[in-house]
Amino acid sequence: MDHDAFRALEPWCWRAPSAHNTQPWRLRYEPDAVRIGWDPAHTLPVGDPTGRDLRLSLGAFVETCLIVAADAGLRLEYVVDHDEQHRWVGLLRPAPDRYPTPFRTTDVWERRTHRGVLAGVVDPDTLDAVARPAGGSVRTVSDAGRLGTLLRTADRRQYADPAVVAELRHWLRLDPTHPGYHADGLTDRCLVLSRPAAVGLRAALAGYPVLRPLGLPRLLAAAAGDPLARGGTVLILIAPDHLDPPGEVEFGRVLLRAWLTLHTAGLAAHPLSQLIDVPDTRTALGALLDVAPRRLLHVTRVGRPTRPAPRSARRVRA
């Protein structure tokens, strides 16, 4: 295996999406393969206690590696070798042919999460065709009012949990002088925060222990605004029943293909993971869709951006 050729592609591979932009993936170069795993220091044990978002992120990284390698002419395949104890998910190894994909490195590079205004209505069939071959499906919620209520509830529940807030604060980059501002995490620019709003959020989070009993969680949830008011269509990725951890990694690959499908159609996505991170709203959303809550894998707001979104930071850059 040509390790040098793949190492040169790493900056583009690291453009894969991850929850809170933690970039949890790690590579180990072996004689005839590249092993893919994760670093527990770059996970979200409080906000993602089951590891669902971690495994989706790892799957997105796997798919990104395959796309970038194929575009560069490298012939690689992914082999599942899931090992929770040692924190590995699988291997990239030489293959007879290049990975078949319609996407290019430019698609990986240009795709961005968009938290701003998203115009238009998106037919779930656009992404359902991507999920179906893997046994999944994509649905939407017709009751916008109920969905908005669930979203507000999820925001309040998360801001009311000191452990969740502490974890979020760890990954927020609200000041350009933060040492991780250009490396990882959620910056003020990516969160579409003005400078005064970013300063106010930093102050509120710094005073959280004192202000929490005085109603700060409700104020923080209100200050976050209503993403549904910024337009777009909310789509839910539904997994097959009884999906195991390696299966969730595979659906991370499906999710990346779905996001790139949107990107190449001129659309963008904004994840609303809090809806399924909070148990009560996850159960209620499952009831709205008549789907077992455990099958809800990903929720995202989708539409056509009205202006370009900022590019999120990466620890490995071109």
Side-chain angles (χ1 to χ4, degrees):
M1 181 168 178
D2 190 341
H3 287 175
D4 289 340
F6 187 78
R7 285 183 192 276
L9 301 176
E10 278 195 34
W12 288 273
C13 296
W14 281 60
R15 292 306 309 174
S18 58
H20 284 13
N21 191 26
T22 57
Q23 303 163 51
W25 37 78
R26 292 296 179 268
L27 299 176
R28 188 174 79 185
Y29 285 82
E30 301 180 351
D32 58 350
V34 178
R35 188 175 293 274
I36 297 176
W38 72 91
D39 181 348
H42 291 267
T43 63
L44 304 169
V46 178
D48 180 33
T50 67
R52 181 197 70 246
D53 284 335
L54 168 63
R55 289 185 282 272
L56 291 176
S57 298
L58 289 164
F61 180 73
V62 167
E63 189 70 11
T64 301
C65 288
L66 290 171
I67 291 168
V68 170
D71 196 29
L74 299 185
R75 293 177 291 184
L76 297 179
E77 64 181 357
Y78 173 65
V79 179
V80 177
D81 185 21
H82 202 97
D83 183 343
E84 289 282 336
Q85 180 181 357
H86 296 97
R87 298 188 291 272
W88 300 113
V89 295
L91 303 163
L92 295 174
R93 69 181 186 188
D97 302 299
R98 281 191 291 179
Y99 177 63
T101 175
F103 305 116
R104 307 289 300 273
T105 299
T106 52
D107 300 320
V108 168
W109 177 253
E110 293 171 0
R111 181 212 61 81
R112 304 179 191 183
T113 296
H114 201 297
R115 294 177 173 83
V117 175
L118 297 175
V121 176
V122 178
D123 188 336
D125 288 347
T126 302
L127 298 185
D128 194 65
V130 179
R132 285 286 177 190
S137 61
V138 174
R139 301 267 297 277
T140 188
V141 177
S142 57
D143 189 341
R146 179 60 175 152
L147 189 63
T149 299
L150 291 179
L151 190 59
R152 289 189 293 275
T153 299
D155 283 339
R156 288 197 297 270
R157 295 285 177 84
Q158 288 199 320
Y159 280 119
D161 187 331
V164 170
V165 171
E167 189 174 71
L168 173 64
R169 186 181 178 192
H170 175 75
W171 289 103
L172 285 175
R173 313 289 186 243
L174 300 178
D175 186 332
T177 63
H178 189 289
Y181 193 86
H182 298 290
D184 54 21
L186 300 168
T187 66
D188 52 345
R189 294 178 64 247
C190 287
L191 292 173
V192 199
L193 294 176
S194 66
R195 175 51 29 197
V199 171
L201 180 56
R202 285 177 58 205
L205 292 177
Y208 183 86
V210 174
L211 299 175
R212 176 174 173 265
L214 303 178
L216 181 61
R218 186 176 293 274
L219 290 176
L220 287 172
D226 178 9
L228 301 184
R230 300 182 203 131
T233 303
V234 175
L235 301 179
I236 299 97
L237 175 62
I238 299 172
D241 207 1
H242 305 299
L243 195 67
D244 61 6
E248 288 185 342
V249 174
E250 285 300 307
F251 261 83
R253 298 179 61 186
V254 172
L255 182 60
L256 194 279
R257 292 196 291 270
W259 278 29
L260 291 180
T261 297
L262 292 171
H263 168 74
T264 56
L267 303 170
H270 169 204
L272 300 173
S273 299
Q274 62 267 50
L275 283 166
I276 54 177
D277 288 337
V278 174
D280 287 348
T281 55
R282 181 187 183 99
T283 298
L285 182 58
L288 279 177
L289 296 169
D290 194 22
V291 170
R294 66 178 177 275
R295 297 180 59 198
L296 305 179
L297 270 190
H298 185 73
V299 182
T300 190
R301 182 173 63 96
V302 176
R304 192 170 301 279
T306 58
R307 63 178 59 185
R311 196 185 305 281
S312 56
R314 289 297 186 273
R315 286 194 297 278
V316 177
R317 292 178 291 169

